[in-house]
Amino acid sequence: MWRAVSMSAEMGVGFALRAVNERVQQAVTRRPRELPAIQPRLVAVSKTKPADMVIEAYSHGQRTFGENYVQELLEKASNPKILSSCPEIKWHFIGHLQKQNVNKLMGKIKL
């Protein structure tokens, strides 16, 4: 799976997102009927990716992004280019959170 996604990423963010979303939808159709029919949410990990790539993914319909470093999340969540281009963006912190970083995240960004 990783090889397919990494190869498709070379072909463009939109292509990669469509491929991953297609696989998610295929998995949804195979899930047991007794599970709740809740639509899964794809969180795109934007770790080490430039702002332009986040904006490109957003332009292809991706709204939820995850970062695992507090500083990188704060930088991207306050990036003027991202803020102006991606009004509905949502951020998730997906790493280990140390006590001293809690206040840095709280109230500073739209999670």
Side-chain angles (χ1 to χ4, degrees), residues 70-71 74 93 96-106:
V70 171
Q71 190 57 41
L74 292 173
F93 183 73
H96 294 285
L97 183 60
Q98 299 171 338
K99 267 187 191 179
Q100 70 262 22
N101 289 328
V102 170
N103 287 336
K104 290 179 185 177
L105 287 179
M106 299 306 296

Side-chain angles (χ1 to χ4, degrees), residues 44-65:
V45 178
S46 52
K47 173 184 172 185
T48 72
K49 303 300 182 225
D52 289 338
M53 191 173 272
V54 171
I55 293 167
E56 184 180 356
Y58 185 92
S59 75
H60 287 284
Q62 183 63 36
R63 294 295 182 264
T64 310
F65 295 83

Side-chain angles (χ1 to χ4, degrees), residues 10-73:
E10 293 171 10
M11 299 174 84
V13 172
F15 182 84
L17 277 172
R18 280 190 301 280
V20 171
N21 278 314
E22 188 175 297
R23 290 179 67 111
V24 168
Q25 290 310 309
Q26 290 169 357
V28 165
T29 62
R30 293 189 308 268
R31 87 175 141 200
R33 293 190 189 273
E34 63 270 9
L35 290 178
I38 298 170
Q39 182 63 28
R41 178 181 307 141
L42 177 64
V43 177
V45 178
S46 52
K47 173 184 172 185
T48 72
K49 303 300 182 225
D52 289 338
M53 191 173 272
V54 171
I55 293 167
E56 184 180 356
Y58 185 92
S59 75
H60 287 284
Q62 183 63 36
R63 294 295 182 264
T64 310
F65 295 83
E67 288 287 341
N68 65 337
Y69 292 113
V70 171
Q71 190 57 41
E72 197 167 348
L73 174 59

